[in-house]
Structure formats: structure tokens, C-alpha cells
Amino acid sequence: MTTTGEKPARTAPVRPGIYGRGTETVDLILNAALDVLVEEGAAAFTLRRIATRCGMQVGRLSYHFARKELLIQLLLDDLLDYYERMLDETVRQPHLDPAEQLRRMITLVLDDIGTKRTTHVFTELWALSNHNEVVADRVAAFYRLAHANIAAAVAPLNPALSPTQVDVVARFISASLEGTTIFAGHGKPWAHQMPQLQRLAVRSLLHLASTIKPEDLAEDLPDLG
């Protein structure tokens, strides 16, 4: 887990097929796969439907991606690359203190949740992961890196916490942010309240990260229920 404010280490993704990422055909397939996931949902996310979407025979698509799980892997790799660039541009700046870095991270995540792409992509990926272990593993790997980014801001903000406790706090912050997707994401019933939810999230989660004590996270706390 990253706790120094540096970028979490990433392993190089394994690229499927004989063509490298960035070729015209692979880009066409990935864009079509993203469109199917966003516009049609998990039920439609099949190689045949994606092939139709990008105007090619399913056999040709299978030549590059034998399984839809490989497409999921590359889609998540692309999303990770996008978020890493966003963090580099807006959060990982040497003049920003940890509190400001965490504030910007919370704001960035909630702004992103308000977009159609993110609301639809992640809710559909969650649905797929319920029934596909490979997709579940890919999604979990994505979130491990997301949690490490949050932990990188929490650790210097609250040095009394152990690395394990920082990880728990980072995961709670992530869960709190991701949970807004189903209520206030794009097109959701309370999307109009996202500005207020964002202000509440910044205030409450920053306070939590700064003031939570190691004893508050003890595993042997009495059950108050």
C-alpha cells in the first residue's frame, strides 16, 4: 500500500492478441465495447454485440479478443490511465498539503461520478462481477489501486494510524464516495443534490481522516447494536 504520497506502483498490463494497444482495430473494438457497456448494459456485453457495434465479423473480433474478460481488463487499464493523469494534473502537486490533496481527490471522484460514462460503466461492471470471477478480480484490482491513492493522502494527514488502519480509512472513504453512484450519479433520482452531497463529503471525510484515532479502529470494540 502506498502511504508516502507517491503514485502507487502498477504492473504493466498484459495485452491480448497479436496487435499492440493503440492500433486502429483494437481502438475501434475497445470504443465499441465501452459504448455497449454504457448504452446497452451488462446483459448486452457479448463479443457478438460488440462486433456488430463496430461493424466487423465476430470471428475477426475474436482474433484480437478471445474472451470478453480481456476487453474488461483493457477498459479498466484505460480508466486507470485516465485517473492517473487526472491525479497527476490536479492532486499530486508538491505545493499542496495532504488535506488539500484529499479534498481535491474527493471532489474529482464525485465530479466523475456525475458523468454518464462513469455512472453506467461502474454499475454495469458491478453487475458483471456478481456472476463472473474474472471480472470480479479485475474490478477488485482496480479498486485496490484507487484505495492506495486515497491512502497516500490519508497517511500523512493522520500519522498516528498504522498502515493497516490507513487502509481501512481509505476503503471507507472510497465506499462512501462510490455509494453516491446509485443515488446521485448521472440520471439517478437525487443527481440534483450532488453539489450538496459533495460539500458534505469533503467536510465529513476530511474531518474523519484527520481525527480518527487508532483506538477507534480497534477490532475488539464492543458491539453497540
Side-chain angles (χ1 to χ4, degrees):
M1 180 184 68
T2 300
T3 57
T4 62
E6 300 176 353
K7 267 171 66 170
R10 286 187 58 198
T11 56
V14 177
R15 300 305 191 190
I18 64 170
Y19 294 108
R21 176 71 177 92
T23 63
E24 184 176 351
T25 301
V26 172
D27 283 348
L28 178 66
I29 294 169
L30 286 174
N31 288 334
L34 182 61
D35 285 345
V36 169
L37 203 57
V38 170
E39 302 296 340
E40 302 181 50
F45 196 77
T46 65
L47 294 184
R48 185 171 300 280
R49 184 70 194 96
I50 294 165
T52 300
R53 187 91 180 190
C54 60
M56 66 174 61
Q57 296 294 320
V58 68
R60 184 182 174 205
L61 186 146
S62 299
Y63 180 65
H64 300 282
F65 298 95
R67 304 188 313 277
K68 66 182 181 182
E69 289 82 3
L70 295 174
L71 281 165
I72 294 292
Q73 179 179 339
L74 260 67
L75 287 175
L76 285 170
D77 285 342
D78 281 355
L79 286 171
L80 279 173
D81 289 341
Y82 167 76
Y83 291 128
E84 288 295 309
R85 290 196 302 272
M86 291 291 290
L87 290 173
D88 285 341
E89 293 170 6
T90 63
V91 176
R92 298 186 184 115
Q93 300 295 319
H95 65 283
L96 299 178
D97 61 31
E100 178 61 16
Q101 288 186 347
L102 184 56
R103 186 194 71 78
R104 292 190 178 200
M105 201 175 300
I106 292 168
T107 301
L108 185 154
V109 170
L110 291 179
D111 282 345
D112 190 58
I113 285 172
T115 66
K116 180 178 179 179
R117 183 192 73 164
T118 294
T119 292
H120 286 211
V121 163
F122 283 97
T123 52
E124 298 301 333
L125 285 175
W126 297 338
L128 283 169
S129 68
N130 283 334
H131 306 284
N132 187 310
E133 288 187 11
V134 176
V135 175
D137 287 344
R138 298 288 184 265
V139 172
F142 176 93
Y143 279 115
R144 276 192 289 272
L145 284 166
H147 300 159
N149 280 319
I150 297 173
V154 171
L157 195 59
N158 195 336
L161 300 179
S162 70
T164 299
Q165 291 167 337
V166 167
D167 184 61
V168 171
V169 172
R171 191 157 289 114
F172 177 79
I173 291 173
S174 179
S176 301
L177 300 177
E178 296 293 325
T180 65
T181 306
I182 59 173
F183 298 112
H186 177 85
K188 300 302 181 181
W190 296 282
H192 63 285
Q193 292 183 346
M194 182 60 93
Q196 292 91 341
L197 293 174
Q198 188 174 110
R199 286 194 287 272
L200 286 170
V202 168
R203 176 178 293 186
S204 60
L205 295 175
L206 267 175
H207 178 75
L208 171 77
S210 304
T211 62
I212 190 78
K213 298 176 181 178
E215 55 266 30
D216 296 328
L217 297 170
E219 295 183 4
D220 58 350
L221 284 175
D223 184 1
L224 301 180

